[in-house]
Amino acid sequence: DGNFHLQHRAGRRNLDEDPSFIGVAGYWADQTLFDQYACDKDPSSAKKEPSCNTNTRAGDPTQFFKNEKLDVAGVFGVSCRHVIFKPNAVIDLKKGEKFREVDVAFSSVVNDAIKCGIKRMVASYDVACKFKINYVARNTQGKKVLLTEEDLKKISITWLVPKFHLGGHEKKCADDHSFNFTKDVGRTSGELVETPWAELNKAKSVTKQAGPGSRRDIIVDFINWWNWMKVIKMSDRIEREYREAFKQHEVAHGRLCSIEEVLPPETLQNLQVDSAQRGGEQYRPDDNLNRYPTRKDALQALQQAEREEIAIRQQQNADSTSTLSATHFVDNALDIEAKRIKHDLLQKELKSSTKDADRKRLEDSKTAIDKLLEQHHTALIKLAPALPIDYRRKQTHAGNLTLPSSFDTALRHAFGLERLAEIERKLRIGQAHDILEKTRKGIGLRTIMNQHSKNQAGSGYRVATRIRDAQTRAKKNVQQSAERYKATWKALSALDTQPAELEGLEELQ
């Protein structure tokens, strides 16, 4: 895990002038190896690491610190399941959490595991879904290699995402990298690697101004203290958790017996056979069960249909030079609609504010939306030439978003908007399912924060303020999702969407 609080201000001295007394004998990786490997480019065979909509800066080359006063933006460390830091597995992050820098720390642990004869390793990382894609290529190819392909054949690495971070990943990605659906990991959360930073961050005010080598030695002292406290308290913790696990086992066994008593014998036998065939693995959601179409699915299907249509026209020597995509036009319009809803809610929130910063925030938001609306109506002229010019000018001036759902059936037919209406209907259906999923997560998060607020009562003003801010953000997200769903449902009703197409969608109560 990375920590961006242990920063270091750029000074006149470097590590050569102010070296660490401990060096590679402690927890820091070999600096020479780091410099040689991190500055190398990714191998040509490396695949592009796709995004699964994770709200994290890790691994994203466009997300980095731009503060020129800092020569170190943070640190990255690797610990074992018991949250004990591993030797030579801590590195400095220069500008952001780049995978080539992370490789140096993680591969040091992998190398030690191979030497110890370990055959399987479970790696928990916030963006393991992206990190694993080119891990082998990055480490085994290039001018400087950390591991060989023969080394990696000796060990099996299971890549998982910590449980709390799963909510920021797509549904399929979360299922594929969940501890809950992985054998031999118990009830591991994967989040304990975050816990040492609270203690290590106590040194940030000292290490930020210290010399490069002195800073590393101070952090090593803190890590030594952390590891020592973990070791001497481990026996007490294991005994305590074993007793608690034994009690939980008795409760779970009692619930299982109660369920088995009320189930029909045939159903119970089928479940027992199915469980035996799975080898005790927990039930994993079927990807095809209760899976509703998403906006991304609809967008990909529509874009594929457009490409096939263009290919057919090219074969028939028809005009296919137009680069304006109707699917892209409607998809962008839905994004503009979401921005407008967010702007309207922000305007209500800041209605009584007299701060210049709040007024500028609203003005900037409105200016950006007006620019997008102007581009939207410019494209509309090309896609719907039958639409009256006076109407288009009026809508542009009023700042309205013109889509097929803005007209009734007769006008859509008169203006030749049937094709755009069909595209909007399909994208709207997927969008509605996406919004419902986001709303469910938002309500769940709001419930968790409300419960957390009760549990942390009396913890102090700072904790209470942070909880209240988190509750406010969760409430705003739910409110924004509800407004978007209402707008989507209104559009689907205007497009005469049949109940069979809605796939269970209903009006929001």
Side-chain angles (χ1 to χ4, degrees), residues 29 71 76 88 129 187 286 344 378 449 469 472 475 480 497:
D71 59 3
F76 184 93
N88 304 123
C129 54
R187 304 302 297 171
D286 188 347
D344 292 342
T378 301
M449 295 311 301
D469 291 344
T472 303
K475 183 179 179 180
Q480 182 178 335
T497 309

Side-chain angles (χ1 to χ4, degrees), residues 97-145:
E97 202 166 326
K98 298 180 181 179
F99 285 163
R100 287 199 70 87
E101 295 178 349
V102 173
D103 284 340
V104 179
F106 183 74
S107 295
S108 173
V109 178
V110 174
N111 201 8
D112 289 343
I114 294 172
K115 292 178 180 178
C116 293
I118 295 176
K119 301 298 182 183
R120 185 195 180 209
M121 175 185 289
V122 177
S124 173
Y125 186 27
D126 302 349
V127 286
C129 54
K130 293 196 293 184
F131 181 74
K132 70 176 185 179
I133 295 174
N134 293 319
Y135 177 72
V136 175
R138 290 195 307 267
N139 281 260
T140 60
Q141 301 175 19
K143 297 179 181 178
K144 187 66 179 180
V145 297

